[in-house]
Amino acid sequence: RPFYICCVTKEEHITYWSESALKDWQVALLLFKEKHFMYSMFFAHLTLEKLLKAHWIKAHESNHPPKIHNLDYLQSKSKLKVADDDQVLLQMMNQFQIEGRYPAYKELVHQSLSQSKAENLLNDVNRIREWLNAQL
């Protein structure tokens, strides 16, 4: 392993993921403002993913979370107790990482994502985002 990876503390890894999540959240908000709702949801998903990876690191001996994007899986491997409604939101947000990465699905998601729906989702993601940050 490269020196810089092996010598970074657990806390520094957690900080890396949480700071990266904040940058992605800011991008999600900018994309929403510009009416790029599907891309905004992709970055909202990325925000949650990175915060859950910070929690994964907190809950495990290893400082290297799995290279996956599934929010359910990441949450299930952390020590977080998520409310049922929030679990449903995490499951639903998974669709945006898939569509964001595979162009064939983008148009279908884009057509089904109104400004109102995107705004409601961002509000819900923000609530969970704040809770995840508070738990770190």
Side-chain angles (χ1 to χ4, degrees), residues 50-106:
K50 288 179 177 180
L51 286 171
L52 288 169
K53 286 184 176 184
H55 279 279
W56 188 96
I57 292 168
K58 184 178 176 182
H60 292 84
E61 187 175 324
S62 172
N63 291 334
H64 305 287
K67 294 181 180 181
I68 64 164
H69 313 292
N70 186 298
L71 302 178
D72 286 328
Y73 179 82
L74 291 168
Q75 182 276 317
S76 73
K77 299 301 180 187
S78 73
K79 294 181 179 178
L80 295 167
K81 302 289 187 237
V82 176
D84 290 345
D85 288 349
D86 292 341
Q87 191 67 44
V88 170
L89 180 65
L90 292 176
Q91 292 167 357
M92 201 261 310
M93 287 302 293
N94 273 330
Q95 72 179 313
F96 296 110
Q97 66 91 12
I98 295 169
E99 279 76 3
R101 295 173 199 279
Y102 299 102
Y105 299 105
K106 284 182 184 179

Side-chain angles (χ1 to χ4, degrees), residues 19-49:
E19 287 178 355
S20 184
L22 177 59
K23 290 175 186 174
D24 290 335
W25 179 244
Q26 292 167 342
V27 171
L29 296 176
L30 287 171
L31 289 167
F32 176 81
K33 183 178 177 182
E34 294 297 319
K35 300 190 183 314
H36 298 291
F37 305 129
M38 197 276 300
Y39 292 106
S40 176
M41 293 300 105
F42 176 79
F43 276 88
H45 173 279
L46 202 53
T47 299
L48 295 175
E49 178 184 330

